[in-house]
Amino acid sequence: MLTVSTVNVNGLRAAAKKGFTEWFGATGADVVACQEVRAAPDDLPAALREPDGWHAVHADCSVKGRNGVSLYSRAEPEATRLGFGAAEFEDSGRYAEMWLPGVVVASLYLPSGDVGTPRQDEKERFMAAFLPYLSELRGKAAADGREVLVVGDWNIAHAEIDLKNWKANRKNSGFLPEEREWLGRVFDEAGYVDVQRRLDPDGPGPYTWWSYRGRAFDNDSGWRIDYQVATPGLAGRAETATVERAPSYDLRWSDHAPLTVTYRS
């Protein structure tokens, strides 16, 4: 079996003080992917930079305190990569991958965007550059006898069943028609599979992110923006997908919850 967990930690050092360290110590996952780490590797405590029993890679952002993704694997990777070859985003701390036996696993933090601002323009440029890479990666991995699994915070809710208040968000970043269409191209054109939706096609949710504002968490008024996106062979081996939602608001250590999927070997 291969168990993979992904979570946007909303600042790894802060999350560690609120419960992430205990969650990480108890996880049965073989691979853990983190996004929005917001720290350079040297700024992380040793227990998170190089945990005992794990192999870790960290892609930090050139702008201090921004972005950042990490990958932890119990198995030693045969190769690693930070960034996906687009010059604008190489030092942005948004992508890291490990080549593991039989599979390439990547941690992705896609820009969040904000309509009418440069942040949305950045998001669109990222998407335009990343889609060809996904196709390229699938081809390279297949030639090497491997599946591909890209997990993380994709910052797009693909369908109406992927967020509670979809009607009110049709003109907001994260649920724009062009963003949803792009994610559809990841599935249709690049040939990847939304693993959680394959296992639970009807929804609604389960959501993975809830705003800290108001009572969004208590009312389960969330968004499903954290995905495990796999090539068809691996997706077909997925057995369970679980959102590890905190039992109560006060026990949250991030505004996201881990998405954990188990795959047959």
Side-chain angles (χ1 to χ4, degrees), residues 1-2 4 31 73 75-79 98-106 137-138 140-150 230-235 237 263-265:
M1 306 294 285
L2 172 70
V4 180
V31 178
S73 171
E76 184 175 2
E78 297 168 21
M98 284 182 169
W99 287 63
L100 299 168
V103 64
V104 182
V105 181
L137 177 61
R138 183 182 177 188
K140 286 183 177 179
D144 202 40
R146 301 175 202 256
E147 302 286 347
V148 178
L149 179 62
V150 182
T231 44
L234 182 61
R237 304 205 303 266
Y263 302 86
R264 294 189 308 275
S265 298

Side-chain angles (χ1 to χ4, degrees), residues 150-187:
V150 182
V151 306
D153 182 354
W154 290 67
N155 263 313
I156 300 170
H158 187 222
E160 293 170 4
I161 59 173
D162 292 323
L163 69 167
K164 184 72 169 284
N165 297 318
W166 64 268
K167 289 183 179 179
N169 283 286
R170 286 175 289 187
K171 295 183 180 180
N172 291 332
S173 186
F175 197 61
L176 297 173
E178 56 268 33
E179 295 174 335
R180 298 167 60 196
E181 179 185 10
W182 177 86
L183 193 50
R185 292 178 65 195
V186 171
F187 305 138

